[in-house]
Each structure stands twice: as structure tokens, then as C-alpha cells.
Amino acid sequence: MKNPEKRSRADDRTAGAESGDETSITLLTLESTCDETAAAVVRSTLRPGSPVEIVSNVVASQSDLHDEYRGVVPEIAARAHVERILPVMDQALKQADIDFDGLSAVAVAYTPGLAGSLLTGLMAAKSIAWSLGIPLVAVNHLYAHIYACQLAAEEPVYPCVGMIVSGGHTHLYQFDSPVRARLLGGTIDDAAGEAFDKVASMLGLGYPGGPAISKAAAAGNPVAYAFPRSFLHEPRLDFSFSGLKTAVRYAITGQGNHDVHAVELNEQQIADLAASFERAVVDCLVRKPIQALQATGLNTLCVGGGVAANRLFRKELTEICKSRGVRLHFAPMQFCTDNAAMGAIAIEQLRAGEIAELDLDIAPGLVRTPAN
Ligand code: KG4
Ligand code: ZN
């Protein structure tokens, strides 16, 4: 579906898409997949490989709204996006010192994520595309997390193994290009970030759980508890964190008793549980991408998503990649958790002529690999 009156303007603004010329692109990208409302203005040209400038980048986190529930409440997230999307967008344009007329395209993360959250971003982006007559670009949020690595790299990072470690996903892909990927494996139950959040809740730490666990773990003993590491010695490129989560629960309560909050833990116990848990997660997170590199024959690894901000994980993976001569790219710290700057992947899509129709729908479903 197109806006017939405005479409000629859209076609003018991306007319160089097939010729790969120096036509300048100023793109507004929107992100509302989970509990961050974000907008960014990014700039580049249609020539493949030309640098991408992040002109503005605004993120409104909702963690204060979800803190008391120790996890994201979808209905609260959806309502907060509705309140925040326009102010966040306005701020991104203001910081970039442009108005809507200065935009050549608008991009939005449409998959995967929470349905109510995704809808807000998509409806806002469609309205802009329709009223201005500019192209709409449909961004895959997981691919965007990996593209965050390209934003900081001085050389092309593709082809690569891409590892997304976030609140919803712990997945390994083989990327031929920014937008062409094959799923190699992933979690069969909880994502790593989700496990961090749930264990933090059991230990009475705040939300989001990742940074809270790391902070508590600093004073703890990582070998105080022998927690399980699923699939560590198997060739399959999958993860499972639900058994680990249950092991932490029983370490707190003892077998058969489920109420973690009825148990009073002292500070050292919390620190030891946090450190042993973090160590177990990181052991799995470090091993599987190395196996993925071996399985694909690739020598470049890109890592993005909220858990990529974990310092122990970054340190361990950096060491192992160095010892094996693997080119490792982490997403920059400020682009690990959800943001709209990584939506700059849409520039690659525009260069490839990938423009979405205005009847684009959300695709909320989480990516899961089957248990076997
Ligand atoms: O990528 P993201 O912002 O949202 C999703 O797409 O899911 O990731 C959020 C997740 C949360 O589960 C949070 O606990 C985790 O990333 N996280 C961390 C750290 N910072 C954020 N996990 C471990 N260590 C961290 N430093
Ligand atoms: Zn994310």
C-alpha cells in the first residue's frame, strides 16, 4: 500500500538506491520492541560502505516502571511507549537540528518483541512515512543488535558469526551480510538476560538484573556453588538457562521449598550466589560462539544485546578470541542495550532497495530453537 500523492517524493529521495551513488540519506529510526522507547537520526549516503554518522540518539528507559515487578510487564510497557514515542522522536529531531522535512526515510524495528510495544513504533513510523511520502524500512531488531558492532568498527565486520545475548534472545547466526543471516542455534528456554533478571529477583536485587548481579558478584566467590552449564561439552550450538535458574532457587531454599523470599540471605551468600551464577552463564556464553566459528569456518565474531555489556563476559571472550586469532567485535557499551542508533542497519536496506509497504505488520514472536 502506498500514499499515491506522496509516493513520487519517496521515489525521488531514494532514487540512487540501485546505482549506489552519493545521494545523502537522513534517516529517522524508531525502536520500541520491549521496554525502551528510542529514536535516532542517522546519516550516510547510498554508496555501499560509506560511513554512517549517528547524528542524535535518544533512549527513554522504562526500568523504573518495571522495577517493582522485577521484570517487564507488557501492558505497562505498551502504555509507556504510547506516552513517550512523540517526545522521544521530537527530541531526536531537535538534537539533530532538523525537522520532519529534512528526513529522507523512516525505519522501525518490527520484529521480534512484545506485540503492544512493537505496535506503537510501527504506527508512528507508518504515519510519518505516509504523511511525508518517504520510504518506510522494516528493521529486524536482532540483526540491528549485530549491526551495532559495525557502527564502531573501522572495517567491514560481515561475513561473521553474530551472537545476540539479550533479555529475550541468546542466539547464534551466520551473517553473510547485515541483512542475510542463517540461525545456527539459540536458547531452548530462557534467554541469558532473562536468567540474570530472574536470579536477581530471587536474590532481592533490582531490575534490570544483569548490572545488579555483576555488582553483587564482585564481592563473591565464583566457585562457591557448582551450578550446571547446559550443553557445554556437546557440539550443538544451543543454550539452556532454566536448569541453572532452578539450581539457584534450590541453593537458596533447599529442595522442595519454593519460596525464595521467605529465606533471609546475608550479603556474603548473595555475593557468592551471584558470582557462581554469573560464572556459569559466562562459561556457556563463551564456549558456544567458538564452536559456531569452528562449525562455519568463519573467523569474525560480532556480539550485541544487553548482556554483551557484561564485563566478565567481555573479558573472557576477548581473551579466548585473542588466543585463537579470532577477530572479535563487541557492540559499543552504549549500543548494547536497546537503542535506535543500531537501526542504522536500515541504511544498508535502503541501499539494497528494501522498502516496506505501508501495510507492514508486526512480527512479535520470539525466535526459539526446538528442544531435542
Ligand atoms: O538488548 P536488551 O536491552 O533488550 C532486549 O532486546 O531484550 O537487553 C536487556 C537485558 C536484560 O535482561 C538485562 O538484565 C541484561 O540485558 N543486561 C545485562 C547487563 N546489562 C544489561 N546482563 C548482564 N550483565 C550486564 N552488565
Ligand atoms: Zn534488544
Coordinates of all heavy atoms in Angstrom, one line a residue, residues 11 16 48 50 59 63 77 85 112 114 122 126 145 164 198 203 219 222 255 276 286 309 311 317 327 329 353:
D11 N 10.1 8.3 -4.0 CA 11.0 7.7 -5.0 C 12.2 8.6 -5.3 O 13.3 8.2 -5.5 CB 10.2 7.4 -6.3 CG 9.1 6.3 -6.0 OD1 9.3 5.6 -5.0 OD2 8.1 6.2 -6.7
G16 N 18.7 6.9 -5.9 CA 20.0 6.4 -6.2 C 20.2 4.9 -5.6 O 21.3 4.4 -5.8
P48 N 27.4 2.0 -1.1 CA 27.8 1.0 -0.1 C 29.1 1.2 0.5 O 30.1 1.6 -0.1 CB 27.8 -0.3 -1.0 CG 27.0 0.0 -2.2 CD 27.1 1.5 -2.4
S50 N 29.9 3.6 2.6 CA 30.2 5.0 3.1 C 29.8 5.1 4.5 O 28.9 4.4 5.0 CB 29.6 6.1 2.2 OG 28.2 5.9 2.2
V59 N 17.2 7.7 24.1 CA 16.6 6.5 24.7 C 15.9 6.8 26.0 O 16.5 7.4 26.9 CB 17.7 5.4 25.0 CG1 17.0 4.1 25.6 CG2 18.5 5.1 23.8
S63 N 12.9 1.3 32.9 CA 13.2 0.3 34.0 C 12.6 0.7 35.4 O 12.2 -0.1 36.1 CB 14.7 0.0 34.1 OG 15.4 1.2 33.9
A77 N 4.5 -1.6 29.6 CA 5.4 -1.2 28.6 C 4.7 -0.6 27.4 O 5.1 0.5 26.9 CB 6.2 -2.4 28.1
I85 N 6.6 8.0 22.8 CA 7.2 8.0 21.4 C 7.3 9.4 20.8 O 8.3 9.7 20.2 CB 6.4 7.0 20.5 CG1 7.2 6.7 19.2 CG2 5.0 7.4 20.2 CD1 8.2 5.6 19.3
P112 N 11.8 -9.1 16.5 CA 10.7 -9.6 17.3 C 10.6 -8.7 18.5 O 11.3 -7.7 18.7 CB 11.3 -10.9 17.8 CG 12.8 -10.8 17.7 CD 13.1 -9.7 16.7
L114 N 7.6 -7.5 22.0 CA 6.3 -7.5 22.7 C 5.3 -6.9 21.7 O 5.5 -5.8 21.2 CB 6.3 -6.8 24.0 CG 7.3 -7.3 25.1 CD1 7.3 -6.4 26.3 CD2 6.8 -8.7 25.5
L122 N 5.6 1.0 15.2 CA 5.3 0.8 13.8 C 4.2 1.8 13.4 O 4.3 2.3 12.3 CB 4.7 -0.7 13.6 CG 4.3 -1.0 12.1 CD1 5.5 -0.9 11.2 CD2 3.7 -2.4 12.0
K126 N 4.8 4.4 10.4 CA 3.9 4.4 9.2 C 3.3 5.8 9.0 O 3.1 6.2 7.8 CB 2.7 3.4 9.4 CG 3.1 1.9 9.1 CD 1.8 1.1 9.2 CE 2.1 -0.3 9.1 NZ 0.8 -1.1 9.1
H145 N 20.9 -5.4 16.5 CA 21.9 -5.6 17.6 C 23.3 -6.0 17.1 O 24.3 -5.5 17.6 CB 21.4 -6.7 18.5 CG 20.5 -6.2 19.7 ND1 21.0 -5.2 20.5 CD2 19.3 -6.6 20.1 CE1 20.0 -5.0 21.5 NE2 19.0 -5.8 21.2
I164 N 23.6 -12.8 19.6 CA 22.7 -11.8 20.2 C 22.5 -12.4 21.6 O 21.9 -13.5 21.8 CB 21.4 -11.6 19.5 CG1 21.7 -11.0 18.1 CG2 20.5 -10.7 20.2 CD1 21.4 -11.9 17.0
K198 N 15.8 -12.9 36.4 CA 15.0 -13.8 37.4 C 15.9 -14.1 38.6 O 15.3 -14.1 39.7 CB 14.5 -15.0 36.6 CG 13.4 -14.7 35.7 CD 12.9 -15.9 34.9 CE 11.7 -15.4 34.0 NZ 11.5 -16.5 33.0
L203 N 17.3 -13.0 44.4 CA 18.3 -12.6 45.4 C 17.9 -11.2 46.0 O 18.7 -10.6 46.8 CB 19.7 -12.4 44.7 CG 20.3 -13.8 44.2 CD1 21.7 -13.5 43.5 CD2 20.5 -14.8 45.4
A219 N 32.0 -9.1 45.0 CA 32.5 -9.4 46.3 C 32.3 -10.9 46.6 O 32.5 -11.4 47.7 CB 31.7 -8.6 47.4
P222 N 33.2 -17.2 42.9 CA 32.5 -17.8 41.7 C 32.5 -19.3 41.7 O 31.8 -19.9 40.9 CB 33.3 -17.3 40.5 CG 34.7 -16.9 41.1 CD 34.4 -16.5 42.5
Q255 N 15.9 -28.2 48.6 CA 14.9 -29.0 47.8 C 13.5 -28.9 48.3 O 13.3 -29.0 49.5 CB 15.4 -30.5 47.7 CG 16.6 -30.7 46.9 CD 16.4 -30.7 45.4 OE1 15.3 -30.8 45.0 NE2 17.5 -30.7 44.7
S276 N 28.7 -17.1 41.5 CA 28.7 -18.5 40.9 C 27.7 -18.6 39.7 O 28.0 -19.3 38.7 CB 28.3 -19.5 42.0 OG 29.2 -19.5 43.1
V286 N 30.7 -18.1 26.5 CA 32.0 -18.0 25.8 C 32.3 -19.2 24.9 O 32.9 -19.1 23.9 CB 33.1 -17.8 26.9 CG1 34.4 -18.1 26.4 CG2 33.0 -16.4 27.5
A309 N 27.0 -6.2 27.5 CA 27.6 -5.2 28.4 C 28.2 -5.8 29.6 O 28.9 -5.1 30.4 CB 26.5 -4.2 28.8
R311 N 30.8 -7.3 31.9 CA 32.3 -7.1 31.9 C 33.0 -8.4 31.9 O 34.0 -8.6 31.2 CB 32.7 -6.2 33.0 CG 32.3 -4.8 32.8 CD 32.9 -3.8 33.7 NE 32.2 -2.5 33.6 CZ 32.5 -1.6 32.6 NH1 33.5 -1.9 31.7 NH2 31.8 -0.5 32.5
L317 N 35.7 -13.5 26.7 CA 35.6 -13.7 25.3 C 36.7 -13.1 24.5 O 37.3 -13.6 23.6 CB 34.2 -13.2 24.8 CG 33.8 -13.7 23.4 CD1 33.8 -15.2 23.3 CD2 32.5 -13.2 22.9
R327 N 38.8 -12.5 15.0 CA 38.5 -11.0 15.0 C 37.2 -10.8 15.8 O 36.1 -11.3 15.3 CB 38.4 -10.5 13.6 CG 39.7 -10.5 12.8 CD 39.6 -9.7 11.6 NE 38.4 -10.0 10.8 CZ 37.8 -9.1 10.0 NH1 38.3 -7.9 9.8 NH2 36.7 -9.5 9.3
H329 N 34.3 -8.4 17.5 CA 33.7 -7.0 17.6 C 32.6 -7.1 18.6 O 31.6 -7.8 18.4 CB 33.2 -6.6 16.3 CG 34.2 -6.5 15.2 ND1 35.0 -5.4 15.0 CD2 34.6 -7.4 14.3 CE1 35.8 -5.6 14.0 NE2 35.6 -6.8 13.6
G353 N 17.6 -1.4 -1.8 CA 16.3 -1.2 -2.3 C 15.2 -1.9 -1.5 O 14.1 -2.1 -2.0

